[in-house]
Amino acid sequence: MSRVALVTGGSRGIGAAISAALKAQGCTVAATYAGNDEKAAAFTAETGIQTFKWDVGDYDACAEGIAKVQAEVGNIDILVNNAGITRDAPFHKMTREQWQQVIDTNLTGLFNMTHNVWGGMRERKFGRVINISSINGQKGQFAQANYSAAKAGDIGFTKSLAQEGARAGITVNAICPGYINTEMMSTIPDKVMNEVILPQIPVGRLGEAEEIARGVAFLAADEAGFVNGSTMTINGAQYLT
Ligand code: CAA
């Protein structure tokens, strides 16, 4: 059966690879984006995947956007909460805005999105919710008190909802990517990347977005119904839990 998947932040970086992998698996895919109209239009032209613009940190925008996706594309069977931002700063320099923006997008965004598809998934007795957390939610990270707190929260959210959705045929799982070769890495100074981060990765390289998408495709499959509440680590052996 062809499933409908919605991928937040699904037109760039890891999200674009996830959208493409789910499409290749036979899903009808829609992707959300927050800002870059030009890149989203180029993504749609290239892939045929429809894009929708809203801020996952805004509950009402999520309710409205999801209703639109469901009217235009179909009821959402698979939700991939991938949208995320960084606002890195050592804690003594971190502003309230940097804290709040990251919590709003990377943690509250999961509530806002999932809350608006949960009822439908329960009624239809099928759902796949896949939350993109991070290695830094597992181990903590210098200059990321905000991001690590949100990403650790995503894992707790996943484990709770997995228990609640299980009887209704809904699975909820998290993936913790390590350092992946995307635009997000461009905020890291070269010196920190080369002297601090890369030497910590046993595989000796950054991961590729497609290597995360492969995990999402696995968890999204109908056949993955017994995989529930798990945290899949995909990090080149950088941090083992
Ligand atoms: N680990 C250890 N030390 C680090 C570090 C890190 N990741 N990042 C910076 N530092 C060190 C610097 O080397 C520097 O040390 P020295 O003073 O000895 O040279 C010091 O911290 C910088 O301190 P400052 O007070 O001057 O910091 P700043 O106000 O200039 O801020 C920064 C700079 C924002 C911390 C910047 O260095 C940075 O962005 N670092 C990278 C942080 C990081 O690793 N973020 C992860 C992003 S990847 C991601 O988020 C995706 C994911 O899920 C994996």
Side-chain angles (χ1 to χ4, degrees):
M1 184 197 299
S2 174
R3 300 289 187 185
V4 173
L6 179 62
V7 183
T8 68
S11 65
R12 293 201 294 145
I14 292 175
I18 293 170
S19 296
L22 292 176
K23 188 176 178 203
Q25 193 157 288
C27 295
T28 304
V29 181
T32 79
Y33 69 103
N36 197 326
D37 295 323
E38 224 171 87
K39 282 210 171 143
F43 173 78
T44 300
E46 192 186 318
T47 63
I49 292 171
Q50 222 176 316
T51 51
F52 296 82
K53 184 178 187 177
W54 75 82
D55 173 5
V56 298
D58 177 338
Y59 187 90
D60 293 334
C62 290
E64 224 174 275
I66 286 168
K68 193 164 183 241
V69 171
Q70 304 214 117
E72 289 183 25
V73 184
N75 289 326
I76 294 160
D77 303 303
I78 300 162
L79 171 66
V80 185
N81 286 310
N82 164 77
I85 59 170
T86 55
R87 297 287 182 269
D88 293 358
F91 191 59
H92 64 281
K93 293 184 185 169
M94 188 173 285
T95 64
R96 288 175 66 179
E97 286 71 28
Q98 287 174 318
W99 171 265
Q100 203 57 53
Q101 284 171 359
V102 170
I103 296 297
D104 286 350
T105 301
N106 297 10
L107 180 58
T108 308
L110 270 62
F111 173 83
N112 295 344
M113 289 296 302
T114 312
H115 204 239
N116 280 295
V117 299
W118 195 248
M121 287 180 174
R122 277 167 52 90
E123 272 167 29
R124 294 187 300 275
K125 299 270 178 279
F126 180 87
R128 297 278 180 268
V129 179
I130 299 154
N131 299 318
I132 306 303
S133 175
S134 165
I135 185 175
N136 293 342
Q138 297 173 299
K139 71 170 184 57
Q141 173 57 42
F142 185 102
Q144 284 200 315
N146 49 3
Y147 187 89
S148 298
K151 293 295 188 178
D154 294 343
I155 296 171
F157 177 80
T158 298
K159 290 179 176 176
S160 294
L161 282 198
Q163 294 173 45
E164 292 192 25
R167 288 279 173 91
I170 307 169
T171 66
V172 187
N173 292 285
I175 293 184
C176 290
Y179 284 72
I180 308 301
N181 186 17
T182 64
E183 234 174 75
M184 193 178 260
M185 294 303 129
S186 64
T187 62
I188 303 177
D190 287 348
K191 191 170 179 319
V192 173
M193 177 56 79
N194 294 326
E195 293 175 17
V196 182
I197 294 171
L198 280 174
Q200 291 173 7
I201 307 175
V203 172
R205 64 170 175 87
L206 298 178
E208 294 300 329
E210 290 71 21
E211 293 175 300
I212 304 305
R214 191 166 171 78
V216 174
F218 170 78
L219 294 170
D222 278 23
E223 296 77 9
F226 205 59
V227 186
N228 197 6
S230 71
T231 303
M232 184 189 283
T233 290
I234 309 181
N235 67 20
Q238 184 181 353
Y239 183 73
L240 306 173
T241 52

